[in-house]
Amino acid sequence: MKRIAVLTSGGDAAGMNAAVRAVVRTGLDNGWELYGVRCGYAGLIAGDFLPLGARDVGGIIQLGGTMLRSGRCLDFKTEPGRNEALRNLSENQIEALVVIGGDGSQTGAHLLSQAGLPVIGVASTIDNDLYGSEITIGVDTALNIALESIDRLKVTASSHKRAFLVEVMGRKCGYLALIAGITGGAEVIVIPEFETSPEEVAAELRGAYERGKAHAIAVVAEGARYNARALSDYFQVHKERLGFELRVTTLGHVQRGGAPGAFDRLLATRLGVAAVRQLEKKEYGVLVGLLDGEVATTRLDEVISNKKLLDLKLLETARILAR
Ligand code: ADP
Ligand code: F6P
């Protein structure tokens, strides 16, 4: 009998619960014992393990967040911290670990794998910045939440003929802003990967009115040099000359808190099942993700040493479609 642990780490993402459920029930189906680790890597260091049966993961597929809780654990970045984690796993006779999380979490997973622990990563972060998966668990739901807000802001923006700036999450990655901007019909999109000056943003917003639009929306990534705060400060200082005001909405953690949609439930389920299949095959030290629409594996060392690139051609598409 195998004893397997699963944890969720980093920023939570809608669908993490579905992935935990899939890992647990697929593992149980193999006759294995399954354990959840509470609060990400902090729970590994504290030895906070929780036996999980089929009923313990019931009623969670439709819930956002993570029943195991997540966390950011600085101690795990230190060797003594990781050694403590490995000691706890060994004392509890846990033979393998599934890590559901983003690039930071997969860096930790790689270090455990290098230390000899059988580890499988599952691609999960709303930022969609993880090499080895074209889309990660939580992205689709976060995008839909951002879109709902953008759609609502457009309504009030049109009533008042106002310019609005909406900031979305994503850390240093502009994926959420780019896709929310295109699918929300934004007049201008500002992302870290392509610098846009405040004057260029102003020109695009003004251009929208000149072309007869009733609203002008800028979708801005939090990680851009000119994010919501920087742009709104600039517009405040140059208000008279620029000739219009901006209303600013920062969506923040609202994007992370929703219930997973069908896409994320299915993606998380497929990846959770695939993680267990990898353990069966004893092919450890890999991330399971989605590549060309299919479940695929990528070595963790490759995952953490490569950067996922954004398709910047989409920015030009967005510009054309905003005319
Ligand atoms: P995400 O996994 O969503 O990218 P973080 O970057 O916050 O989120 O990483 C989650 C956790 O993974 C961190 O709190 C830490 O415990 C662990 N981690 C991140 N980077 C490293 C690293 N370089 N070495 C070891 N563990 C790391
Ligand atoms: O990585 C996911 C994410 O939501 C980023 O988009 C954001 O920058 C960050 O986490 C926020 O972190 P915290 O929840 O710790 O404030």
Side-chain angles (χ1 to χ4, degrees), residues 2 32 95 118-120 275-286:
K2 259 187 191 294
W32 300 351
E95 295 159 54
V119 180
I120 306 294
V276 173
R277 300 291 173 237
Q278 281 303 120
L279 291 173
E280 282 169 25
K281 288 191 275 181
K282 298 190 187 335
E283 289 172 5
Y284 311 126
V286 295

Side-chain angles (χ1 to χ4, degrees), residues 224-245:
R225 175 171 176 206
Y226 292 103
N227 60 9
R229 178 176 299 216
L231 282 171
S232 99
D233 287 352
Y234 188 93
F235 274 66
Q236 189 59 32
V237 170
H238 299 276
K239 198 160 78 183
E240 307 306 328
R241 179 173 57 82
L242 293 173
F244 58 86
E245 286 181 62

